[in-house]
Amino acid sequence: MESRSHRFKENAAAALANPVLQASMKKAKGKFVDKRAIAIKEIDDFEGTREAAKQLRDRVLENLDLWLEKFESNATARGATVLWAKDGEEICRHVAEIGKRHGIKKAVKSKSMLSEEAGLNQALEANGIQPVETDLGEYILQINNNEPPSHIIAPVVHKSLDEVADLFEKVHKTPRKTEIPALTREAREVLRTHFLTADMGISGGNFLVAETGSVALVTNEGNGRMVTTLPRVHVVITGIEKVIPTLEDLSTLMRLLPRSATGQSISNYVSVLTGTKAADELDGPEHLYYILVDNGRADVIGSEFQEMLRCIRCGACMNHCPVYQAIGGHAYGWVYPGPMGSVLTPLYTGLENAIDLPHAATLCNQCGVVCPVKIPLPDLLRKLREKQTDRNLRPWLERAALKAWAFVAASPTLYALGVWFGVRYLKWLAGGKASIPVLSVAPEWTRGRDFPAPEGRTFRELYAQRKQP
Amino acid sequence: MRVGLFVTCLVDLMRPRIGFAAIELLEAAGCEVVVPATQTCCGQPAWNSGDRASAAKLAKKVIAEFEGFAYVVAPSGSCADHIRNGYPGILADEPAWLARATALSSRVFELTDFLVNVAKLETLPGNFSGSVTYHDSCAGLRSLGIKAQPRALLAKLPQVSLKEMNAAEECCGFGGTFSVKFGDISAAIAEKKCNNAVATEADAIVGGDLGCLLNIEGKLRRMGDETTQVLHIAEVLTAK
Amino acid sequence: MSSREDILARVRQKLGRNETNAAVARAEIDTVLAAKAQGPRPQVDAEKSALVGRLIDKSRAYSSTVDQVATRGEAPAAIARYLIGLGLPAQAVIWPKLADLDWASAGVIVQARAAQDADLVGITGCFCAVAETGTLMLCGSVDSPAAISLLPETHIAIVPASRIVPGMEEAFALARKELGQLPRAVNFISGPSRTGDIEQTIVLGAHGPYRVHLILIDGA
């Protein structure tokens, strides 16, 4: 997927001015945040479980090469073929080759963010394979001219019921329906036909279990099960960081992932899939391929950003982020929005291509406290800012202003002089009023709010006077 | 108890009365309050902007100015958190300074935390009358655990009623330099905070961090609300 | 260099991999895999009646319905009552494993085969059930094909009370013990399929079943 992250500010402005988006975001926030808060109370030792999850993810990352080999050998022993992809282009090439080998005409897909990273659908079409997104949200986006998702687990969180109703009427050429169950039923019927006629299923992977060489898939709709049960070929596309050691570790993570994501104690379907169907089995794929993807991940290993690779893609950080809640996911411009996206996008697409994202956060740490694997997201955002500074990527004026301010702040005399003038200037601007409506030194501040007037003299002046009556 | 007051740059410039209120409260708790005259800023804007060198320079300055005190108190959760939890990380590569930062760290407190848990202030000098709603600022809340302390102090004022707002723990959208880099997003977040606060119909919105309070007050006035007061907790606790 | 080698080489380089630390790490990995350490667990009373009670409560919380009968032989009649009660046809695709039950006497027409799109009712057993979350664990095999719990709009599962375990950990341990290796398809099912994609409003019956009904066998 081509990144539009360099246009973050324009994207965000458009989002703030979009009333449908604003209404949708307001509705979604209540549901995600409130439901999670209730669901985590069911766990006696939620903090202990988070810590255990963090440790088990770290355990793998610290020896990722060997865990990958372990997974690969166990998966291969069960009849799977393990392929590796350095980038999105190689993902597409692998899938096209698999398609050619097995004479594939149609691929049904359950949600895979890596397929978004790779822009896989376009590549499939170019190779004569019809891709069909089957997650309801992803399907809605696909029939809306391949619109990108705005959330990693709720892809159409930005859309209203009305928009979906209009879209279905137009694309399905059916009478307009306005009830959500009726729209869901309509999509079910359309997609059921595709499930039954597809010869390839493409899924992501929530986890790769090294112990058994399995992929764990977590879904609610059942599309993940369809995609991995009905077609004769199943392709799993997943990042190299998704390995976990054991089924016990999967059990631990399953106490966190659904609760953090949708506020469910467990998702409706947790499938642990291993190898290909036996000769006498009545269903299941004859061929199973894993495509293990780097696309920037290997370079994060061993770096100060390694903790980001613990991410289990629950979306809690964006659900709880005041910035995400205000602007939605599209503004972030690439596959992953919100705090995790603001860390991943610069790491995977280049620091210079997402210059605003690490700064697009108030560092309120709401994301850090809800993260089920304890990723210190604000710290990582701040470290990215530091990298930008080191590489002189920030605007010249900002750097100069910061340096000048730091120079002054380091000198008590200069600083006292600076604030002496500053406070008088602000007081003069206020002209006797309590607020300053336009502040030319901080136009961003006063475009949307007033700047309160200062009292008029600095604390240091008043304190010095008080001490010498 | 000899306490060094870290006034904070915003209080120095915008609301000196908060600094004086903090002194009054600390003295009421029996502390000897010293205000080092050379203090400027804790350096958090530099650190959060990715300028490690400037952040380190200012951190060293604050450490040198304040390490002689038994305690350092700031009327801001954000600045206290930065000095307490930020400095050791900033100076991690300089062992001598790291030792000094670490030695200072455990003695740095946010004002209400200090008053309740260290100085154990019993009787307040003020007698504010009216209803208030309390905004929990992010750094204080999530890094220093400031939640019960300001409420415990407010509860000591017989004529104050606390009306909790929805989502009191959510960010107001200030975020330091965020507020001037992404003004529109910042103001949109502030609007939600203001709506939640105003819905309580409290006479005053109270908080422990001036950055948040300036953001909230600025948005409130732009929204046309001229009556709801926006006050620092120290002002409320010392109001006569 | 193949992509596999390229990726692994970069990971190794980043981790500072050498022969000595590789040997140590491999030993650690073997230890971890053998230890199968568990994380913190929520309290789940493992006494049999408590497990039954919890499974029922949690299943209902996940929009499943539950019926209880004393013996396995009573399951077909209970299923017939359920189907008639909902006005559904007394006709179903079943796991071959369940073909020994007396369906004809109960008036349920069954076929033991792979599921098809036209099947309205699918009847399965389960490998075991997890009380903690009200979850069925189904293992695909030649006599328990996976799609029967997926394609039909109604999924009915026969659950012996003796097969209820406290948590997912015990379910996996049971699979290791009884099956040796994991079967191709292990599916944990908690209630009917659902989606919340449109306006985060939960709708039951997304791509899989609209309803899940448990027949708990107390004496089995």
Side-chain angles (χ1 to χ4, degrees), chain B residues 128-145:
Chain B
F128 186 90
S129 171
S131 56
V132 303
T133 189
Y134 198 85
H135 163 64
D136 296 295
S137 291
C138 299
L141 174 72
R142 281 181 272 277
S143 295
L144 300 175

Side-chain angles (χ1 to χ4, degrees), chain A residues 282-283, chain C residues 91-96 111-119 145 148:
Chain A
L282 298 176
D283 48 28
Chain C
Q91 196 174 343
V93 57
I94 62 167
W95 273 7
Q111 289 184 303
R113 52 165 169 78
Q116 294 163 3
D117 185 38
D119 293 323
I148 295 182

